[in-house]
C-alpha cells in the first residue's frame, strides 16, 4: 500500500505543485494550510510522514512539531524559506528528522522523503542499537553484550530518545521537551542527573563509551 504523506503548507500554489509531484510518484497526499489543522490531522495517526512548513498561520511549524513529538515519532521533514543555521538546529533539536530549504528541487525532496521513510521502517522494527547495546522497545528490555540492564522508566525513555537520534547532538532543552514533556516545570540539570545514571549503568558498568557530552550544547550517543 502506498505511503500517506501529510503536507502542511500555507502557500497553496506550492502545496498543489508538491502534491501533484508526490502523487505522480505513487504517494497518497493530504494537505493542511495552517498549523492548527495540520497538527490535528497529524495526530490522527493515519500518515507515514509529515512535510511541515515553518512559517504557518495559527500555529508555527516549530510549535506543531513540539506538540506532535509529545505523542508521536512520525517522520517530519521541515520546509523553510530561511536558510538559517539557528532555524535548522532548532528544528532538529525539536525532533525534526530532516529539513529542506525553499526553493528546492523536487528530486531532492523525493530523496529526503525516501530516506526518512527508510529510517521509519528501521524504527518500526522496535530494535535500537549502538555498538554492543541493544534496546527492544516493545519488550522494554535493554541488553549490553547480551546481559540485561535494569532501567527505570525515565532512564529507558531518555536512552530510547538518544538512540532514536544516534549521532545527533541533542540539547538539554530538547531532551526535556521530548522525554519529560513540554510542560515540565523544573531544572535542566534533571537531564544531567539521568545521564549520570545511564552512564553508571551502561558506560561504567560495561566499559563502554557511548554517551558523549558536547560541551555547551548537550549529549549524543556515538558508536565506538
Amino acid at each position: 500500500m502506498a505511503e500517506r504523506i501529510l503536507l502542511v503548507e500555507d502557500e497553496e500554489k506550492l502545496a498543489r505543485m508538491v502534491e501533484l509531484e508526490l502523487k505522480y510518484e505513487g504517494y497518497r497526499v493530504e494537505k493542511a494550510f495552517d498549523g492548527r489543522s495540520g497538527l490535528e490531522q497529524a495526530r490522527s495517526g493515519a500518515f507515514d510522514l509529515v512535510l511541515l512548513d515553518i512559517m504557518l498561520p495559527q500555529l508555527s511549524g516549530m510549535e506543531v512539531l513540539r506538540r506532535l513529538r509529545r505523542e508521536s515519532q512520525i517522520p517530519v521533514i521541515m520546509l523553510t524559506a530561511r536558510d538559517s543555521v539557528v532555524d535548522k538546529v532548532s528544528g532538529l533539536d525539536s525532533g525534526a528528522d530532516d529539513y529542506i530549504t525553499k526553493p528546492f528541487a523536487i528530486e531532492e525532496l523525493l530523496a529526503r522523503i525516501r530516506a526518512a521513510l527508510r529510517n521509519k521502517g528501521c524504527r518500526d522494527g522496535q530494535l535500537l542499537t549502538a555498538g554492543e547495546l541493544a534496546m527492544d522497545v516493545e519488550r522494554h528490555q535493554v541488553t549490553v553484550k547480551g546481559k540485561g540492564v535494569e532501567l527505570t522508566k525515565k532512564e529507558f525513555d531518555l536512552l530510547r530518545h538518544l538512540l532514536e537520534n544516534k549521532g545527533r547532538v541533542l540539547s538539554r532543552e530538547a531532551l526535556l521537551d521530548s522525554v519529560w514533556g513540554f510542560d515540565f516545570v523544573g531544572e535542566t540539570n534533571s537531564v544531567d542527573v539521568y545521564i549520570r545514571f545511564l552512564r553508571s549503568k551502561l558506560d561504567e558498568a560495561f566499559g563502554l563509551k557511548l554517551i558523549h557530552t558536547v560541551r555547551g550544547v548537550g549529549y549524543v550517543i556515538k558508536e565506538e
Side-chain angles (χ1 to χ4, degrees), residues 12-168:
E12 295 193 24
K13 288 184 179 180
L14 175 61
R16 179 60 177 161
M17 182 272 289
V18 172
E19 178 188 26
L20 290 173
E21 294 285 354
L22 293 179
K23 285 185 173 180
Y24 181 78
E25 293 295 320
Y27 297 108
R28 292 182 293 164
V29 183
E30 290 188 25
K31 302 191 299 295
F33 300 108
D34 64 79
R36 195 169 300 281
S37 60
L39 178 61
E40 290 175 1
Q41 288 177 251
R43 281 173 165 167
S44 71
F47 299 96
D48 298 290
L49 181 140
V50 178
L51 296 175
L52 180 61
D53 188 29
I54 287 182
M55 301 295 291
L56 291 169
Q58 297 192 29
L59 280 179
S60 72
M62 288 295 188
E63 183 60 24
V64 171
L65 177 62
R66 292 187 189 103
R67 296 189 188 189
L68 185 60
R69 277 294 175 258
R70 298 181 207 170
E71 56 199 72
S72 173
Q73 290 301 315
I74 183 174
V76 176
I77 298 176
M78 304 296 291
L79 309 176
T80 173
R82 298 181 295 186
D83 192 20
S84 163
V85 172
V86 173
D87 287 336
K88 293 172 182 177
V89 170
S90 178
L92 293 172
D93 277 351
S94 296
D97 293 80
D98 203 351
Y99 62 84
I100 188 167
T101 304
K102 302 176 190 176
F104 49 79
I106 194 66
E107 292 81 5
E108 181 183 2
L109 177 61
L110 291 170
R112 291 176 183 270
I113 288 172
R114 289 192 295 268
L117 290 172
R118 282 196 302 271
N119 290 337
K120 176 181 182 293
C122 294
R123 288 204 302 265
D124 288 349
Q126 298 297 297
L127 184 65
L128 303 172
T129 63
E132 296 181 281
L133 181 149
M135 171 182 282
D136 187 321
V137 176
E138 187 173 345
R139 292 183 173 85
H140 210 271
Q141 294 176 347
V142 174
T143 59
V144 178
K145 302 179 181 179
K147 297 180 180 180
V149 181
E150 293 294 327
L151 299 179
T152 67
K153 183 180 185 304
K154 192 63 66 181
E155 290 166 352
F156 186 92
D157 290 345
L158 176 58
L159 179 61
R160 176 181 178 177
H161 193 66
L162 288 166
L163 286 169
E164 287 175 336
N165 293 274
K166 184 170 61 178
R168 177 182 297 168

